[in-house]
Structure formats: C-alpha cells, structure tokens
C-alpha cells in the first residue's frame, strides 16, 4: 500500500510541475554550472609523433534536457626526433550529452630554423578524462618542407585539479 501511495504522490508532483512550467523551459533551480580545470598530457600521431603538455578549462551547463560543455586549452608539444617545438591555443564544444566535440586550434611550430603558424579544425570524442581528436593543420608557407603533421589524431588525458559548482536559483 505504501509503494502505491508513494507512486501516486510522485506522479502527482511531476504533473503539477509540468502544469506550472512550460514544457519547453525547465525550472531555473534545475540548472547547474560546473567549471573544471587542470593539466593534460597527450600524444599526437600523424606522419610524426608529438608529446603534448598543457592546461584546459571546461564550462559545463547541466540542465534537465540538454548539457553543453565548452572548453579552452593551451599547451605545448615537442617532437624529440626532429627537434620541433609547438604551441597550441584551442577551443572545443560538445553541444549534447554524448555527442562529438567540435573545435579548432591556433598553432605555432618551429624547428629553431624556420617557423610556421596556422589553424587546425578538429573533431573528437570525449569520455571521462580521455579526449580523442582528429584534425588537419592548415599552415602558412606550406610549400617548404617542415616536420609537421598535416592530418593527425591525438589523445589527451586530462587531470581535473579543481571544480566549482554553481546552482542557479530562482530570484
């Protein structure tokens, strides 16, 4: 009997909430913002192999219907065999809970004789602390030979060192 009574109360309260709020909007008290940041270590592979180190900050807006994650990262990478150093600044977004990530990087690479800069659109998939990305480097002065991956795939392991939770409240 108690189980039946709890079920009726639960259904009634959800029905009352559904009548109070429009179906298209969620109540403000159901919105949670999470800010996470920390270092990452990664591995980039294409024609050449690069080791990556850097930091990333993520902003996650969690609602009842839709979760959006945005992130900005900066870091450096190095190829020991060809003595190539690089710096990256990037942004990515995941517009739903379990979908792909879309983003881009602005990069600078040097072999200490010549240098290149450019952009790299990326697409990836993030699960837990691992982020797998693939992309293409569009670089300045592509006519000269330079030890740089044009097509690449990278995997990053992010270590979250700090989190901040903000619950949106009704006013």
């Amino acid at each position: 009997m108690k189980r039946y009574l709890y079920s009726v109360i639960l259904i009634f309260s959800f029905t009352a909430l559904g009548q109070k709020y429009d179906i298209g909007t969620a109540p403000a008290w159901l919105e949670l913002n999470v800010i996470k940041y920390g270092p990452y270590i990664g591995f980039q592979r294409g024609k050449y192999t690069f080791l990556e180190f850097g930091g990333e900050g993520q902003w996650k807006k969690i609602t009842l219907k839709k979760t959006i994650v945005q992130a900005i990262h900066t870091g450096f990478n190095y190829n020991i065999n060809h003595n190539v150093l690089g710096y990256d600044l990037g942004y990515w977004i995941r517009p739903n809970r379990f979908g792909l990530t879309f983003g881009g990087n602005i990069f600078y690479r040097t072999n200490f004789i010549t240098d290149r800069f450019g952009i790299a659109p990326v697409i990836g998939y993030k699960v837990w602390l691992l982020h797998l990305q693939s992309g293409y480097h569009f670089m300045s002065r592509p006519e000269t030979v330079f030890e740089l991956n044009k097509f690449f795939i990278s995997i990053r392991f992010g270590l979250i060192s700090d989190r901040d939770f903000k619950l949106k409240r009704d006013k």
Side-chain angles (χ1 to χ4, degrees), residues 140-165:
S140 64
R141 297 178 291 186
E143 66 279 353
T144 59
V145 176
F146 196 73
E147 297 82 11
L148 174 67
N149 294 328
K150 289 188 179 177
F151 285 109
F152 67 91
I153 188 165
S154 71
I155 188 160
R156 292 180 179 161
F157 180 73
L159 302 167
I160 302 301
S161 62
D162 200 9
R163 295 175 199 255
D164 186 21
F165 297 95

Side-chain angles (χ1 to χ4, degrees), residues 15-131:
T15 306
L17 273 176
Q19 290 177 0
K20 182 176 179 184
Y21 298 104
D22 185 17
I23 292 176
T25 62
W29 53 268
L30 290 178
E31 185 176 303
L32 178 66
N33 293 319
V34 181
I35 300 170
K36 302 186 291 187
Y37 51 91
Y40 69 82
I41 184 168
F43 181 75
Q44 185 185 105
R45 183 74 177 125
K47 186 175 180 181
Y48 305 101
T49 303
F50 286 84
L51 191 59
E52 302 178 329
F53 298 98
E56 182 173 80
Q58 298 177 12
W59 295 267
K60 184 186 281 190
K61 181 179 178 182
I62 301 171
T63 60
L64 199 56
K65 285 187 171 184
K66 193 173 185 181
T67 297
I68 297 174
V69 181
Q70 300 180 61
I72 188 167
H73 64 87
T74 185
F76 71 94
N77 46 48
Y78 188 67
N79 182 335
I80 296 172
N81 296 335
H82 296 283
N83 197 28
V84 176
L85 175 67
Y87 298 97
D88 292 336
L89 175 66
Y91 169 81
W92 59 264
I93 184 169
R94 185 176 66 196
N96 48 27
R97 286 190 200 274
F98 301 109
L100 295 173
T101 62
F102 306 97
N105 298 331
I106 298 171
F107 68 87
Y108 172 79
R109 301 284 189 274
T110 183
N111 62 1
F112 303 102
I113 298 169
T114 60
D115 56 352
R116 301 285 181 274
F117 64 91
I119 61 170
V122 293
I123 186 169
Y125 190 76
K126 181 163 175 42
V127 59
W128 194 49
L129 298 174
L130 293 174
H131 194 182

